[in-house]
mmCIF file of all heavy atoms in Angstrom:
data_model
loop_
_atom_site.group_PDB
_atom_site.id
_atom_site.type_symbol
_atom_site.label_atom_id
_atom_site.label_comp_id
_atom_site.label_asym_id
_atom_site.label_seq_id
_atom_site.Cartn_x
_atom_site.Cartn_y
_atom_site.Cartn_z
ATOM 1 N N SER Y 339 19.187 -7.292 -21.309
ATOM 2 C CA SER Y 339 18.128 -6.438 -21.810
ATOM 3 C C SER Y 339 17.707 -5.449 -20.744
ATOM 4 O O SER Y 339 17.931 -5.666 -19.551
ATOM 5 C CB SER Y 339 16.939 -7.292 -22.237
ATOM 6 O OG SER Y 339 16.416 -7.980 -21.118
ATOM 7 N N PRO Y 340 17.090 -4.324 -21.145
ATOM 8 C CA PRO Y 340 16.582 -3.379 -20.142
ATOM 9 C C PRO Y 340 15.557 -4.003 -19.219
ATOM 10 O O PRO Y 340 15.431 -3.605 -18.065
ATOM 11 C CB PRO Y 340 15.967 -2.272 -21.009
ATOM 12 C CG PRO Y 340 16.675 -2.369 -22.329
ATOM 13 C CD PRO Y 340 16.956 -3.815 -22.516
ATOM 14 N N ALA Y 341 14.823 -5.005 -19.703
ATOM 15 C CA ALA Y 341 13.827 -5.649 -18.848
ATOM 16 C C ALA Y 341 14.482 -6.363 -17.675
ATOM 17 O O ALA Y 341 13.978 -6.324 -16.541
ATOM 18 C CB ALA Y 341 12.996 -6.633 -19.667
ATOM 19 N N SER Y 342 15.634 -7.019 -17.896
ATOM 20 C CA SER Y 342 16.311 -7.707 -16.794
ATOM 21 C C SER Y 342 16.852 -6.721 -15.780
ATOM 22 O O SER Y 342 16.782 -6.953 -14.566
ATOM 23 C CB SER Y 342 17.442 -8.577 -17.342
ATOM 24 O OG SER Y 342 18.432 -7.771 -17.976
ATOM 25 N N ALA Y 343 17.397 -5.590 -16.248
ATOM 26 C CA ALA Y 343 17.888 -4.579 -15.320
ATOM 27 C C ALA Y 343 16.749 -3.990 -14.505
ATOM 28 O O ALA Y 343 16.893 -3.740 -13.296
ATOM 29 C CB ALA Y 343 18.615 -3.476 -16.093
ATOM 30 N N THR Y 344 15.604 -3.786 -15.137
ATOM 31 C CA THR Y 344 14.446 -3.267 -14.408
ATOM 32 C C THR Y 344 13.968 -4.247 -13.360
ATOM 33 O O THR Y 344 13.622 -3.866 -12.233
ATOM 34 C CB THR Y 344 13.307 -2.961 -15.395
ATOM 35 O OG1 THR Y 344 13.773 -2.025 -16.371
ATOM 36 C CG2 THR Y 344 12.112 -2.379 -14.668
ATOM 37 N N ARG Y 345 13.981 -5.528 -13.692
ATOM 38 C CA ARG Y 345 13.527 -6.523 -12.723
ATOM 39 C C ARG Y 345 14.471 -6.608 -11.534
ATOM 40 O O ARG Y 345 14.038 -6.722 -10.387
ATOM 41 C CB ARG Y 345 13.427 -7.896 -13.392
ATOM 42 C CG ARG Y 345 12.981 -8.963 -12.405
ATOM 43 C CD ARG Y 345 12.859 -10.323 -13.019
ATOM 44 N NE ARG Y 345 12.540 -11.309 -11.993
ATOM 45 C CZ ARG Y 345 12.434 -12.600 -12.220
ATOM 46 N NH1 ARG Y 345 12.623 -13.077 -13.442
ATOM 47 N NH2 ARG Y 345 12.146 -13.429 -11.234
ATOM 48 N N VAL Y 346 15.792 -6.542 -11.793
ATOM 49 C CA VAL Y 346 16.742 -6.596 -10.684
ATOM 50 C C VAL Y 346 16.561 -5.395 -9.766
ATOM 51 O O VAL Y 346 16.607 -5.522 -8.536
ATOM 52 C CB VAL Y 346 18.182 -6.667 -11.233
ATOM 53 C CG1 VAL Y 346 19.195 -6.462 -10.124
ATOM 54 C CG2 VAL Y 346 18.416 -8.014 -11.902
ATOM 55 N N SER Y 347 16.326 -4.218 -10.329
ATOM 56 C CA SER Y 347 16.091 -3.030 -9.504
ATOM 57 C C SER Y 347 14.830 -3.192 -8.660
ATOM 58 O O SER Y 347 14.817 -2.857 -7.475
ATOM 59 C CB SER Y 347 15.974 -1.798 -10.396
ATOM 60 O OG SER Y 347 17.153 -1.599 -11.149
ATOM 61 N N ALA Y 348 13.771 -3.719 -9.255
ATOM 62 C CA ALA Y 348 12.539 -3.937 -8.509
ATOM 63 C C ALA Y 348 12.731 -4.975 -7.408
ATOM 64 O O ALA Y 348 12.207 -4.832 -6.295
ATOM 65 C CB ALA Y 348 11.422 -4.373 -9.458
ATOM 66 N N GLU Y 349 13.500 -6.022 -7.693
ATOM 67 C CA GLU Y 349 13.771 -7.048 -6.684
ATOM 68 C C GLU Y 349 14.548 -6.467 -5.510
ATOM 69 O O GLU Y 349 14.272 -6.780 -4.346
ATOM 70 C CB GLU Y 349 14.569 -8.196 -7.320
ATOM 71 C CG GLU Y 349 13.800 -9.020 -8.324
ATOM 72 C CD GLU Y 349 13.021 -10.144 -7.677
ATOM 73 O OE1 GLU Y 349 13.246 -10.429 -6.498
ATOM 74 O OE2 GLU Y 349 12.180 -10.746 -8.376
ATOM 75 N N MET Y 350 15.530 -5.617 -5.792
ATOM 76 C CA MET Y 350 16.325 -5.031 -4.718
ATOM 77 C C MET Y 350 15.478 -4.102 -3.861
ATOM 78 O O MET Y 350 15.571 -4.119 -2.617
ATOM 79 C CB MET Y 350 17.523 -4.280 -5.294
ATOM 80 C CG MET Y 350 18.420 -3.650 -4.235
ATOM 81 S SD MET Y 350 19.967 -3.003 -4.900
ATOM 82 C CE MET Y 350 20.798 -4.536 -5.357
ATOM 83 N N ILE Y 351 14.635 -3.298 -4.477
ATOM 84 C CA ILE Y 351 13.751 -2.412 -3.719
ATOM 85 C C ILE Y 351 12.805 -3.228 -2.845
ATOM 86 O O ILE Y 351 12.579 -2.910 -1.670
ATOM 87 C CB ILE Y 351 12.974 -1.488 -4.678
ATOM 88 C CG1 ILE Y 351 13.925 -0.525 -5.377
ATOM 89 C CG2 ILE Y 351 11.887 -0.726 -3.928
ATOM 90 C CD1 ILE Y 351 13.270 0.293 -6.456
ATOM 91 N N THR Y 352 12.265 -4.300 -3.406
ATOM 92 C CA THR Y 352 11.361 -5.161 -2.635
ATOM 93 C C THR Y 352 12.077 -5.792 -1.451
ATOM 94 O O THR Y 352 11.542 -5.842 -0.338
ATOM 95 C CB THR Y 352 10.780 -6.254 -3.537
ATOM 96 O OG1 THR Y 352 10.127 -5.645 -4.648
ATOM 97 C CG2 THR Y 352 9.794 -7.121 -2.779
ATOM 98 N N ALA Y 353 13.292 -6.280 -1.673
ATOM 99 C CA ALA Y 353 14.030 -6.943 -0.602
ATOM 100 C C ALA Y 353 14.404 -5.971 0.513
ATOM 101 O O ALA Y 353 14.200 -6.257 1.699
ATOM 102 C CB ALA Y 353 15.284 -7.604 -1.174
ATOM 103 N N LEU Y 354 14.938 -4.820 0.164
ATOM 104 C CA LEU Y 354 15.361 -3.864 1.192
ATOM 105 C C LEU Y 354 14.179 -3.323 1.983
ATOM 106 O O LEU Y 354 14.231 -3.227 3.216
ATOM 107 C CB LEU Y 354 16.139 -2.717 0.540
ATOM 108 C CG LEU Y 354 17.476 -3.094 -0.103
ATOM 109 C CD1 LEU Y 354 18.121 -1.883 -0.752
ATOM 110 C CD2 LEU Y 354 18.427 -3.706 0.925
ATOM 111 N N SER Y 355 13.105 -2.995 1.302
ATOM 112 C CA SER Y 355 11.927 -2.496 2.017
ATOM 113 C C SER Y 355 11.297 -3.596 2.865
ATOM 114 O O SER Y 355 10.807 -3.340 3.972
ATOM 115 C CB SER Y 355 10.906 -1.942 1.029
ATOM 116 O OG SER Y 355 10.526 -2.927 0.085
ATOM 117 N N GLY Y 356 11.322 -4.830 2.375
ATOM 118 C CA GLY Y 356 10.785 -5.928 3.166
ATOM 119 C C GLY Y 356 11.601 -6.194 4.421
ATOM 120 O O GLY Y 356 11.041 -6.490 5.484
ATOM 121 N N VAL Y 357 12.917 -6.087 4.314
ATOM 122 C CA VAL Y 357 13.772 -6.254 5.503
ATOM 123 C C VAL Y 357 13.455 -5.185 6.537
ATOM 124 O O VAL Y 357 13.361 -5.463 7.744
ATOM 125 C CB VAL Y 357 15.253 -6.213 5.088
ATOM 126 C CG1 VAL Y 357 16.152 -6.093 6.313
ATOM 127 C CG2 VAL Y 357 15.613 -7.464 4.308
ATOM 128 N N ILE Y 358 13.271 -3.953 6.085
ATOM 129 C CA ILE Y 358 12.949 -2.865 7.013
ATOM 130 C C ILE Y 358 11.618 -3.119 7.711
ATOM 131 O O ILE Y 358 11.494 -2.959 8.936
ATOM 132 C CB ILE Y 358 12.928 -1.523 6.253
ATOM 133 C CG1 ILE Y 358 14.334 -1.167 5.777
ATOM 134 C CG2 ILE Y 358 12.384 -0.414 7.148
ATOM 135 C CD1 ILE Y 358 14.383 0.052 4.894
ATOM 136 N N LEU Y 359 10.616 -3.545 6.960
ATOM 137 C CA LEU Y 359 9.304 -3.807 7.566
ATOM 138 C C LEU Y 359 9.371 -4.964 8.561
ATOM 139 O O LEU Y 359 8.759 -4.911 9.636
ATOM 140 C CB LEU Y 359 8.288 -4.121 6.466
ATOM 141 C CG LEU Y 359 7.897 -2.958 5.546
ATOM 142 C CD1 LEU Y 359 6.976 -3.454 4.444
ATOM 143 C CD2 LEU Y 359 7.235 -1.846 6.345
ATOM 144 N N GLY Y 360 10.108 -6.013 8.215
ATOM 145 C CA GLY Y 360 10.220 -7.140 9.124
ATOM 146 C C GLY Y 360 10.925 -6.789 10.417
ATOM 147 O O GLY Y 360 10.501 -7.192 11.509
ATOM 148 N N VAL Y 361 11.994 -6.006 10.313
ATOM 149 C CA VAL Y 361 12.741 -5.619 11.518
ATOM 150 C C VAL Y 361 11.941 -4.620 12.354
ATOM 151 O O VAL Y 361 12.110 -4.553 13.573
ATOM 152 C CB VAL Y 361 14.118 -5.060 11.119
ATOM 153 C CG1 VAL Y 361 14.895 -4.564 12.329
ATOM 154 C CG2 VAL Y 361 14.938 -6.131 10.410
ATOM 155 N N LEU Y 362 11.067 -3.853 11.719
ATOM 156 C CA LEU Y 362 10.187 -2.972 12.494
ATOM 157 C C LEU Y 362 9.283 -3.777 13.426
ATOM 158 O O LEU Y 362 9.028 -3.369 14.569
ATOM 159 C CB LEU Y 362 9.342 -2.114 11.550
ATOM 160 C CG LEU Y 362 10.037 -0.918 10.911
ATOM 161 C CD1 LEU Y 362 9.092 -0.194 9.960
ATOM 162 C CD2 LEU Y 362 10.554 0.053 11.961
ATOM 163 N N LEU Y 363 8.804 -4.916 12.975
ATOM 164 C CA LEU Y 363 8.017 -5.775 13.858
ATOM 165 C C LEU Y 363 8.864 -6.331 14.996
ATOM 166 O O LEU Y 363 8.352 -6.567 16.094
ATOM 167 C CB LEU Y 363 7.399 -6.921 13.055
ATOM 168 C CG LEU Y 363 6.271 -6.552 12.091
ATOM 169 C CD1 LEU Y 363 5.759 -7.802 11.383
ATOM 170 C CD2 LEU Y 363 5.141 -5.858 12.818
#
Side-chain angles (χ1 to χ4, degrees):
S339 63
S342 63
T344 302
R345 179 180 175 183
V346 169
S347 300
E349 291 273 348
M350 181 170 291
I351 294 173
T352 304
L354 294 178
S355 58
V357 168
I358 293 174
L359 291 175
V361 176
L362 282 178
L363 289 181

